[in-house]
Amino acid sequence: MRKLHVFDTTLRDGEQSLGITLNVKEKLEIGHQLVKLGVDIIEAGFPASSPGDMESVRTLAKEVKGVIICGLTRAVAPDIDLCAEALRNAEYPRIHTGIGVSPVHMEKKLKLSPDQVVEQAVAAVKYAKKYVSDVEFYAEDAFRSDPSFLVRVIENVITAGATVVNLPDTVGYANPWEYGELISYVINNVKNIDRAIVSVHCHNDLGMATANSLAGIKAGASQVEGTINGIGERAGNTSLEEVIMSIYTRRDGYGVESKINTREISATSRLVSRITGVTVPDHKAIVGANAFNHASGIHQDGVLKDRETYEIIQPETIGVPQNIISLTARSGRHALQHCLEELGYTIEGAQLDDVYQRFLQLADQKKEVFDQDLYVLMGDSGGMESSIVLQSMSIATNGVEMATATVILEIEGILITDAACGNGPVNALFNTIDRITGNTAILEDYTLKSVTRSSEALGEATVKLRYEDGRLVVGKGFSTDIIEASAKAYINALDKRGLRNEQEV
Ligand code: KIV
Ligand code: ZN
């Protein structure tokens, strides 16, 4: 079987497009999880785009091993110099350089003739080759290019040393059969194509990114690019988990195999959602909360008789365990440890004690603690150390239009108390936290959702703060009390910003 190389660009095409600022620590956490998932290539960022991206690529190159670390560049020497510098400590460095090849990109954006584009593409690949042997070339907007011109560009960049050629559907315009035909056309007409891996990179503007990527793989592409949960520019990128599970479930149809550990899919999806603040819709294929829920009576009856009636993927395959133990306030450490292991967490000793204490507090407030609650507990303990801690809060409302919040925060060991008014409890709370911390960032988005079912469910609050420099920082907080969850989310966003300042170059 042909090997399918899985190229993850969550940290580049995914992050860059959303206006979300992930700090280096968060990117590292995602990078390590991607290694567990078994991707072949991590595109860690676009070093020339910002000092923060430069630092992220540099850090991942240094810390994340056993995988190719890739950086994006335009087809210009200064970008390539920065990228090579960022990748200096990578075990397996790759430079991903390229240029627009469609008429609209060449004429309107680049103002270059086709000959000039070929010349610049070749020069960039040769320049990148001076630094690394693994050079991927992207022909931006390849799908809307003239196929014979595309063949000419690709043949020339392979001669110049490109080891991978990426043919993106940059604007998500293709139909699956057309994209497959383009890939076949390139494979059949580029004379030296046997010297490079053909890569597919699709956007989801018409909801066809996964279908198009699969059509490209079927036509002979051996690398697929995408993001976890499909996050990315506009309507997003190809969802890697969808491609991986299509190939796994329908292996008869594609003739390729990847080295992905499908059991890490669910954990990776949850991590990316938690860190980016981009919620996965309940009905999302593979990783949505309802992906394995059978709601109608007929379906429930069917799966009880035989799972295969309505289930094409077993939840365990993507790391969603079928728990037989119910966790309550009476459960011991061992039961908790077992359930956490089922979810992919190995903890013992002091860490288990810490999680167990917090589990008991939660179990006292809820009749039963579900998997989703455990994910939250682990997210809380696995996160960064907080420099701001919520010590206590109280809210008084007159029930009509005013509320007053009193908050005590511990900031670097010092207790600070203050109070402020607002047009509702959450507004009063955030105003008070602003007074204490001196925060001036604007609250751009605030959402609340229930993590589990039942009236004692854990609430998850997400806060997005926009800073003066345009950066957006996401904070999350969890509690059975939604006002407390909101306070924690707000503080988490403030905390992250502090961390980022320290780490930026
Ligand atoms: O969509 C696209 O064309 C890209 C390239 C920069 C690889 O993301
Ligand atoms: Zn893209």
Side-chain angles (χ1 to χ4, degrees):
M1 273 219 202
R2 196 154 45 93
K3 174 174 160 90
L4 180 68
H5 302 256
V6 177
F7 179 116
D8 180 277
T9 183
T10 306
L11 299 177
R12 199 279 297 170
D13 221 344
E15 192 245 14
Q16 175 187 298
S17 57
L18 294 165
I20 289 170
T21 308
L22 304 185
N23 61 49
V24 175
K25 187 165 178 189
E26 290 168 326
K27 288 191 177 176
L28 256 185
E29 204 178 337
I30 293 179
H32 286 304
Q33 179 59 34
L34 289 171
V35 173
K36 273 199 195 164
L37 178 65
V39 304
D40 299 275
I41 304 108
I42 297 176
E43 187 163 54
F46 176 6
S49 69
S50 73
D53 249 42
M54 176 79 187
E55 188 52 16
S56 303
V57 178
R58 200 199 300 273
T59 309
L60 266 87
K62 191 159 152 240
E63 310 272 334
V64 182
K65 300 296 173 189
V67 65
I68 297 173
I69 302 291
C70 174
L72 187 87
T73 83
R74 289 164 294 186
V76 292
D79 275 27
I80 298 171
D81 290 336
L82 280 176
C83 190
E85 162 58 24
L87 291 171
R88 197 142 48 99
N89 292 313
E91 189 176 9
Y92 306 109
R94 174 180 294 181
I95 293 178
H96 189 189
T97 190
I99 191 165
V101 296
S102 63
V104 66
H105 274 240
M106 293 190 291
E107 286 160 28
K108 302 282 163 35
K109 187 178 91 171
L110 301 166
K111 305 200 185 318
L112 293 176
S113 70
D115 285 349
Q116 287 171 315
V117 165
V118 176
E119 198 181 311
Q120 195 170 327
V122 166
V125 170
K126 283 189 177 160
Y127 194 71
K129 279 299 253 197
K130 287 191 191 153
Y131 289 112
V132 295
S133 58
D134 189 0
V135 174
E136 173 168 343
F137 175 80
Y138 65 85
E140 192 179 6
D141 207 14
F143 182 72
R144 292 192 299 170
S145 69
D146 167 0
S148 58
F149 176 65
L150 183 62
V151 163
R152 181 178 155 211
V153 174
I154 297 301
E155 205 164 286
N156 275 281
V157 295
I158 294 176
T159 303
T163 41
V164 182
V165 286
N166 174 13
L167 308 176
D169 178 18
T170 303
V171 291
Y173 185 68
N175 283 311
W177 62 91
E178 295 166 333
Y179 192 66
E181 278 163 16
L182 180 75
I183 301 297
S184 297
Y185 182 81
V186 168
I187 291 177
N188 293 330
N189 290 282
V190 171
K191 291 192 194 68
N192 51 5
I193 199 70
D194 55 315
R195 283 161 44 194
I197 289 171
V198 175
S199 185
V200 289
H201 177 119
C202 298
H203 282 264
N204 204 31
D205 299 64
L206 293 173
M208 281 191 280
T210 298
N212 288 342
S213 298
L214 289 169
I217 292 166
K218 178 89 183 147
S222 295
Q223 178 177 287
V224 60
E225 307 192 6
T227 60
I228 302 300
N229 300 337
I231 64 170
E233 198 76 63
R234 306 179 307 276
N237 283 60
T238 299
S239 289
L240 280 182
E241 66 278 5
E242 292 178 7
V243 171
I244 292 161
M245 287 315 293
S246 295
I247 282 162
Y248 179 92
T249 311
R250 302 297 313 276
R251 8 193 176 332
D252 46 327
Y254 293 99
V256 292
E257 61 188 356
S258 76
K259 68 174 183 65
I260 292 293
N261 176 2
T262 60
R263 288 181 177 267
E264 290 293 335
I265 288 178
S266 174
T268 314
S269 162
R270 285 192 316 273
L271 180 73
V272 169
S273 172
R274 170 166 70 78
I275 288 184
T276 59
V278 181
T279 311
V280 175
D282 285 351
H283 61 277
K284 165 92 173 59
I286 317 296
V287 288
N290 291 345
F292 302 105
N293 264 354
H294 302 281
S296 81
I298 294 174
H299 287 209
Q300 287 176 346
D301 178 55
V303 282
L304 286 174
K305 288 177 175 147
D306 187 328
R307 282 171 84 165
E308 276 191 33
T309 49
Y310 290 103
E311 219 171 71
I312 58 159
I313 300 169
Q314 299 203 330
E316 298 89 321
T317 314
I318 64 149
V320 176
Q322 298 301 288
N323 259 337
I324 44 162
I325 291 182
S326 47
L327 288 173
T328 67
R330 286 182 304 282
S331 303
R333 275 182 181 66
H334 189 201
L336 174 66
Q337 192 179 26
H338 168 82
C339 292
L340 287 171
E341 269 167 14
E342 291 276 282
L343 299 178
Y345 300 105
T346 316
I347 61 163
E348 49 195 11
Q351 200 195 358
L352 177 60
D353 291 344
D354 171 53
V355 175
Y356 185 63
Q357 289 313 318
R358 290 187 298 111
F359 158 76
L360 287 180
Q361 282 167 17
L362 183 63
D364 273 346
Q365 294 159 24
K366 302 181 84 236
K367 283 194 199 77
E368 191 175 343
V369 174
F370 300 103
D371 289 350
Q372 294 294 336
D373 299 315
L374 294 183
Y375 291 137
V376 170
L377 271 186
M378 292 310 290
D380 266 4
S381 72
M384 62 193 181
E385 287 287 304
S386 302
S387 59
I388 311 173
V389 180
L390 177 67
Q391 284 295 348
S392 74
M393 47 171 256
S394 64
I395 310 277
T397 62
N398 65 4
V400 192
E401 71 236 334
M402 280 293 279
T404 311
T406 308
V407 175
I408 306 179
L409 296 184
E410 184 184 326
I411 303 181
E412 284 158 0
I414 298 167
L415 292 181
I416 308 176
T417 309
D418 212 333
C421 298
N423 57 16
V426 174
N427 183 240
L429 184 67
F430 291 173
N431 288 343
T432 312
I433 297 173
D434 284 349
R435 278 174 67 97
I436 297 178
T437 58
N439 172 51
T440 52
I442 310 278
L443 177 66
E444 188 155 302
D445 197 15
Y446 162 66
T447 51
L448 261 182
K449 75 169 202 177
S450 149
V451 177
T452 45
R453 288 174 288 273
S454 88
S455 55
E456 315 97 353
L458 262 189
E460 172 189 298
T462 306
V463 156
K464 292 184 184 163
L465 292 182
R466 175 79 68 190
Y467 283 85
E468 291 85 0
D469 60 5
R471 292 221 165 98
L472 193 64
V473 176
V474 180
K476 287 221 178 247
F478 301 91
S479 172
T480 46
D481 172 345
I482 53 172
I483 304 289
E484 186 177 301
S486 308
K488 286 183 169 174
Y490 202 78
I491 289 169
N492 181 236
L494 294 173
D495 233 2
K496 280 186 177 175
R497 177 60 193 197
L499 196 92
R500 181 171 183 89
N501 283 338
E502 281 162 34
Q503 290 177 347
E504 256 179 21
V505 284

